[in-house]
Amino acid sequence: PRVAVVPFDNATFRRGLEIALTRLLDDEIRARSPRAPASPAEADLLLKGTIVRADERIYSEDDNDNVRESSIVIEVEVTLEDRTAGKVVGPYSYRERVPYSAYAGRVSTLEQAEAEALRDIAERIVYWLAEGHPERRP
């Protein structure tokens, strides 16, 4: 079946995450999914979703209130509309937390942490699609 990623919605105040996630999902499907990518008008399956949470958790700050250690938590709800069967599967929730530190750690900026979290979520969603079990909770 052919699959299309419908541009994601964003219910948070962090703008641009929905654009990045939609692009990452489209790229992941093209690179790693056995399902053929298609436009929404031609697709058998429509992958839709909303970013429902994008929160920064601050763990420590310096004397000038600059964040030293923190993490980003991003949560996404996705549904899969199967046009050939006439049904919608989901919503399923994906959540990722990526810590970052201005001094040490995996990533050093909030933007890098957001990008890593979105990349991880996109990989997990495409893995779920590639496994061919869209009705099973990932």
Side-chain angles (χ1 to χ4, degrees), residues 35-100:
R35 299 177 190 270
S39 71
E42 300 171 338
D44 303 309
L45 303 168
L46 294 178
L47 181 64
K48 303 176 181 181
T50 302
I51 298 173
V52 296
R53 180 178 176 197
D55 298 327
E56 182 181 11
R57 294 183 178 169
I58 298 172
Y59 302 127
S60 69
E61 298 173 323
D62 64 16
D63 293 337
N64 295 320
D65 294 331
N66 295 315
V67 176
R68 291 179 3 169
E69 293 181 283
S70 184
S71 68
I72 185 77
V73 176
I74 297 178
E75 187 171 347
V76 176
E77 288 185 355
V78 296
T79 59
L80 187 66
E81 180 181 338
D82 186 339
R83 290 175 156 174
T84 57
K87 64 181 176 180
V88 176
V89 181
Y92 295 126
S93 182
Y94 291 87
R95 181 177 161 182
E96 196 68 39
R97 182 181 74 81
V98 175
Y100 78 93

